[in-house]
């Protein structure tokens, strides 16, 4: 099994401090397909038993998850 990396605090702190926009998840639209989990460069999408969760400590607000979600279940909003 391939080990998965997990976000960790770096020398300049947690990447969540970089954010100017934040992804907001609409759980009604989410089908738990996990595409956002695959693409998030920070490992800031967490899998749960039913829907994904966003770890705002490490989400840097890049918007990749919102772009990849075919269901438009994630939208970016100003902080
Ligand atoms: S890509 Fe969209 S539908 Fe799929 S798990 Fe993420 S938020 Fe849910
Ligand atoms: S905005 Fe970027 S860092 Fe934050 S959860 Fe989405 S893909 Fe990950």
């Amino acid at each position: 099994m391939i080990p998965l990396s997990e976000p960790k605090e770096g020398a300049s702190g947690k990447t969540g401090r970089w954010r100017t926009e934040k992804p907001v998840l609409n759980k009604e639209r989410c089908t738990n397909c996990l595409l956002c989990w695959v693409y998030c460069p920070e490992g800031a999408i967490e899998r749960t038993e039913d829907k994904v969760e966003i770890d705002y400590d490490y989400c840097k607000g890049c918007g990749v998850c919102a772009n990849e979600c075919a269901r438009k279940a994630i939208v970016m909003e100003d902080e």
Side-chain angles (χ1 to χ4, degrees):
M1 187 167 154
I2 300 169
L4 296 175
S5 60
E6 292 184 3
K8 289 271 187 324
E9 189 166 342
S12 59
K14 294 177 178 176
T15 44
R17 293 175 52 207
W18 303 357
R19 215 172 44 241
T20 56
E21 286 186 297
K22 68 177 176 187
V24 176
L25 175 68
N26 179 343
K27 291 193 175 186
E28 301 287 312
R29 296 194 64 80
C30 176
T31 58
N32 207 28
C33 71
L34 300 180
L35 258 189
C36 56
W37 175 77
V38 170
Y39 279 99
C40 174
E42 294 299 322
I45 306 268
E46 297 173 346
R47 294 186 296 178
T48 68
E49 283 198 8
D50 60 346
K51 301 293 164 69
V52 293
E53 300 275 355
I54 298 166
D55 181 349
Y56 289 111
D57 279 347
Y58 292 101
C59 166
K60 64 185 179 186
C62 65
V64 168
C65 54
N67 282 335
E68 293 300 331
C69 179
R71 293 273 303 158
K72 303 293 179 209
I74 299 178
V75 295
M76 300 303 289
E77 293 185 359
D78 287 341
E79 274 291 333

